[in-house]
Amino acid sequence: MFNYMFRNKLLPIILLVLAFLFSLANVGYAKMLELITDTATGKTGWSFATLATVVIVYLLATAFINFGFSYFKKWYRLHIMKQVRDDLYSSILKEEIFDFENRPRDFYLSKFTTDLEMLEEDYYGNIMYATGLSLNLILAVAMTLEMQWQITIAILLLSLPSLLLPFFGRNLLKSLRTPVLASIQQVTTTVNDTLSGFRLLKFNQAEQKFIKNMAGETKTLKQTSRNEALIQQIISAGSDLFGNVMYLGTWVVGTYFVIKKQISLGQLVSLSQLVVFITIPLGEITPVLTEFFGGEKVGQNISKLINYQPGATNTEPSAYLISYQDVSVQIEKKQVLTHITTQIPFNQKTIIVGESGAGKSSLINVLLGTIPISSGSFCILDKKNQPLTTPNFEEIGFLPQESVILNGTLLDNVRLFDENISGQAVEQALKDVSLEKLIPRLTDDMPNIAKKLSGGEKRRIDLARMLLRKRLFYVFDEPTTGLDPKTAEELETKIFHLYDGFLLITHRFNQDLFSQSDNIIVVKNGSISAEGQLTDERIQSALSSLKLV
């Protein structure tokens, strides 16, 4: 995530310049104390008016520089976070469906809320803060060298324990921060699950179970946070102790050089202030590193998401395949399928057509795993090209022959009581299936709703449900059963328009739609009598035997 600071190469240069001026103004405070003291003792020979003028100019310049540096740091952080948010959002939309749906919804929500906040404050904020502190330290040390190099050596030796202590605790602090972040994530997940599934919990009387789970998770969060705070406080207390030793030790060393008349009283006062500018950065090392490591960890996770690349396995729909190899099915000694061999790619529009009882539904039941095969082999190649004997319904959508309308509002029916699906998404799905007229009634209380909808409206609601649950491939089992010819044709046209890869089972012939299909499978008496495109002679002959053309 560090590279985001350098996308505009001018901005880090401006940051360094302003940080240098900010540090120069801060460290200049020690010089001002020296001038005031030396003027009071008559060493400078300045008048009071001259001293007052210099002090006023210094104060005004310092205020202006502090304002500019503070404002630029905030602006710079906002500029960086805008880029991070844009990249994070784009990367999520580029994810494969499988990876996206295998993560809980709150995983992404936390990335855009708490994680980005930590990244801004703890990572980028501390980098900029540390830049100013580091320059303060360097300039303060340089000014002590100007007085007496022996004093600088003494100060550095006195500061050594404060400098080394945080680095010894670095790995420990990092290891303690990780479980805290994990605990926060778990609590957030549970709260999100509770909010999105509140009705489910109430309906199933699962409140006490969730209360118990939350109590355990908050206890873990308390323990991990307490452990981190304890170690952090121990390291911080040690830093404070060594800082005080350094501060008072500097006064003792400086007094020695005053007695020896090697530095003036004004320089001693200045030296005491310079020590502050040395001890503050050293004292801030522990909290800054603690927050920085936490922000860095969050940044690494966000970076992985932003730099997400699909795996080497081909996960495009064309890599998925439904495969029947010499499949035969016998049910109660009745042969319903005989030596079926065919392959149905996920990225094609395939039609299976045949008379009632020809075996079309049996082909689907084999796919769904609801009937066993008597011989041969059947499999679905998943995203890793591994064979599955039953479908993964996160990848395959299925529309049965009969519509099911549940008790509840129209909104409940379309999104199947999934409150994670927004009303806006439902409205768009209804528009896509030409049910705009039902949108004003989405949340109406409609007793016996099933009786108030026509057969065509019920089927369109089925299609809207499937649109809200994106799948790689869809199976439509006689979707026009019970519909009048005009409604049936409109519905099939919608299917061809809305979906890229599907398997449509039908007993009807539609010249336009059959000509648009990639593959037609004609089933007769439990066997495939022909397979190909509409222009193929075998398909024409098979359809003619069914009196469809």
Side-chain angles (χ1 to χ4, degrees):
M1 303 302 293
F2 190 65
N3 63 307
Y4 278 91
M5 297 188 70
F6 295 90
R7 285 192 171 184
N8 184 328
K9 292 181 171 52
L10 179 62
L11 296 181
I13 295 174
I14 295 175
L15 176 69
L16 285 173
V17 170
L18 289 176
F20 176 79
L21 293 175
F22 170 78
S23 300
L24 191 62
N26 279 348
V27 176
Y29 188 80
K31 198 66 177 176
M32 296 306 300
L33 291 178
E34 180 182 345
L35 287 174
I36 292 171
T37 304
D38 286 346
T39 301
T41 58
K43 184 177 179 181
T44 63
W46 285 10
S47 67
F48 176 80
T50 301
L51 177 65
T53 301
V54 171
V55 170
I56 290 172
V57 171
Y58 166 78
L59 291 174
L60 291 176
T62 300
F64 180 77
I65 292 171
N66 287 350
F67 168 79
F69 183 51
S70 298
Y71 177 76
F72 181 78
K73 285 193 298 180
K74 182 62 178 176
W75 180 89
Y76 195 8
R77 281 162 50 186
L78 293 174
H79 174 77
I80 292 172
M81 294 311 297
K82 193 266 183 189
Q83 296 178 320
V84 173
R85 285 187 178 91
D86 290 347
D87 288 352
L88 180 59
Y89 184 75
S90 298
S91 69
I92 291 174
L93 292 181
K94 292 175 184 177
E95 280 197 332
E96 297 293 347
I97 295 174
F98 314 100
D99 297 309
F100 181 83
E101 292 188 348
N102 282 336
R103 294 188 177 110
R105 187 73 56 87
D106 62 272
F107 171 83
Y108 297 99
L109 292 176
S110 66
K111 288 289 177 287
F112 275 97
T113 52
T114 55
D115 285 10
L116 285 185
E117 182 179 345
M118 286 187 65
L119 182 67
E120 180 181 356
E121 297 291 337
D122 296 350
Y123 185 71
Y124 293 116
N126 278 308
I127 287 176
M128 297 178 191
Y129 179 52
T131 301
L133 288 178
S134 300
L135 289 173
N136 267 356
L137 178 63
I138 292 170
L139 289 177
V141 170
M143 288 185 68
T144 61
L145 281 171
E146 181 192 7
M147 296 181 192
Q148 283 286 343
W149 66 268
Q150 296 95 330
I151 295 178
T152 304
I153 297 298
I155 292 174
L156 291 177
L157 288 175
L158 288 170
S159 67
L160 201 57
S162 296
L163 189 62
L164 294 178
L165 180 61
F167 285 97
F168 284 123
R170 171 178 176 171
N171 291 332
L172 182 58
L173 289 172
K174 289 182 71 173
S175 66
L176 290 171
R177 189 62 181 165
T178 300
V180 172
L181 293 173
S183 297
I184 293 173
Q185 177 71 34
Q186 187 57 51
V187 170
T188 304
T189 299
T190 300
V191 171
N192 187 70
D193 288 344
T194 302
L195 295 176
S196 61
F198 185 78
R199 297 175 112 194
L200 180 67
L201 301 185
K202 299 295 287 186
F203 290 157
N204 291 276
Q205 297 181 328
E207 303 100 312
Q208 293 303 317
K209 175 63 176 175
F210 270 67
I211 290 172
K212 182 179 179 181
N213 288 348
M214 175 58 80
E217 290 160 7
T218 53
K219 181 179 179 181
T220 301
L221 176 58
K222 175 185 174 182
Q223 291 173 340
T224 54
S225 300
R226 183 183 62 195
N227 293 340
E228 180 191 35
L230 176 62
I231 299 302
Q232 182 178 344
Q233 194 58 45
I234 291 173
I235 296 175
S236 181
S239 295
D240 290 341
L241 172 63
F242 293 132
N244 290 331
V245 169
M246 174 183 169
Y247 182 73
L248 293 177
T250 301
W251 271 98
V252 172
V253 172
T255 301
Y256 171 81
F257 282 96
V258 171
I259 293 173
K260 293 292 185 179
K261 301 189 181 304
Q262 295 183 15
I263 62 173
S264 67
L265 181 61
Q267 287 177 313
L268 175 59
V269 173
S270 176
L271 181 63
S272 68
Q273 188 59 40
L274 289 174
V275 170
V276 172
F277 292 121
I278 295 175
T279 56
I280 287 178
L282 295 178
E284 286 289 294
I285 287 177
T286 300
V288 167
L289 285 181
T290 302
E291 293 178 358
F292 174 79
F293 292 143
E296 182 185 41
K297 183 69 174 178
V298 169
Q300 289 171 352
N301 293 334
I302 292 176
S303 180
K304 288 178 183 178
L305 198 58
I306 289 176
N307 297 319
Y308 163 86
Q309 294 291 336
T313 303
N314 185 0
T315 57
E316 292 298 318
S318 58
Y320 295 72
L321 202 68
I322 299 171
S323 176
Y324 296 83
Q325 295 294 327
D326 198 28
V327 171
S328 294
V329 174
Q330 191 177 58
I331 301 177
E332 296 179 354
K333 298 183 179 180
K334 180 181 178 181
Q335 196 75 23
V336 293
L337 293 177
T338 305
H339 303 300
I340 299 292
T341 297
T342 188
Q343 292 185 336
I344 303 171
F346 274 26
N347 65 340
Q348 292 187 2
K349 299 178 179 180
T350 301
I351 294 177
I352 295 182
V353 63
E355 295 176 332
S356 231
K360 303 186 301 297
S361 293
S362 295
L363 276 172
I364 298 302
N365 288 332
V366 169
L367 190 160
L368 298 177
T370 57
I371 60 173
I373 61 176
S374 304
S375 61
S377 64
F378 167 83
C379 72
I380 303 168
L381 297 180
D382 70 359
K383 66 175 181 176
K384 297 179 180 178
N385 288 325
Q386 298 297 315
L388 302 173
T389 55
T390 56
N392 179 354
F393 289 108
E394 292 183 352
E395 301 169 3
I396 299 177
F398 175 65
L399 182 67
Q401 289 187 18
E402 296 184 1
S403 297
V404 177
I405 301 297
L406 307 171
N407 289 320
T409 65
L410 187 59
L411 179 63
D412 292 333
N413 268 280
V414 176
R415 65 184 185 182
L416 294 177
F417 297 90
D418 185 352
E419 297 180 358
N420 287 321
I421 298 176
S422 68
Q424 185 179 1
V426 172
E427 290 181 12
Q428 185 58 52
L430 290 176
K431 290 177 182 178
D432 289 339
V433 298
S434 303
L435 282 180
E436 297 94 334
K437 64 180 182 180
L438 295 182
I439 291 177
R441 302 162 58 191
L442 266 179
T443 57
D444 291 353
D445 186 14
M446 299 172 64
N448 301 316
I449 184 175
K451 296 181 180 179
K452 298 180 181 181
L453 298 172
S454 68
E457 288 174 333
K458 293 176 183 177
R459 279 326 241 171
R460 291 176 191 273
I461 287 175
D462 287 332
L463 294 182
R465 288 171 178 168
M466 297 183 77
L467 284 175
L468 290 172
R469 290 157 181 82
K470 303 297 184 183
R471 301 293 184 261
L472 284 180
F473 189 72
Y474 298 88
V475 178
F476 301 96
D477 187 6
E478 301 271 13
T480 60
T481 298
L483 302 181
D484 62 83
K486 182 176 182 298
T487 303
E489 183 174 344
E490 291 176 353
L491 193 69
E492 288 178 337
T493 301
K494 276 290 180 186
I495 290 173
F496 266 78
H497 173 70
L498 293 173
Y499 304 97
D500 294 323
F502 60 79
L503 174 60
L504 172 65
I505 312 298
T506 185
H507 60 275
R508 302 176 64 258
F509 178 72
N510 183 315
Q511 175 76 32
D512 291 338
L513 300 185
F514 272 56
S515 63
Q516 293 178 44
S517 66
D518 298 299
N519 193 30
I520 300 170
I521 300 173
V522 182
V523 179
K524 187 174 183 179
N525 298 326
S527 299
I528 295 177
S529 61
E531 182 173 0
Q533 295 185 324
L534 183 61
T535 53
D536 294 350
E537 290 185 6
R538 289 191 61 195
I539 293 295
Q540 289 288 325
S541 176
L543 294 176
S544 179
S545 70
L546 296 175
K547 300 180 180 179
L548 293 177
V549 293

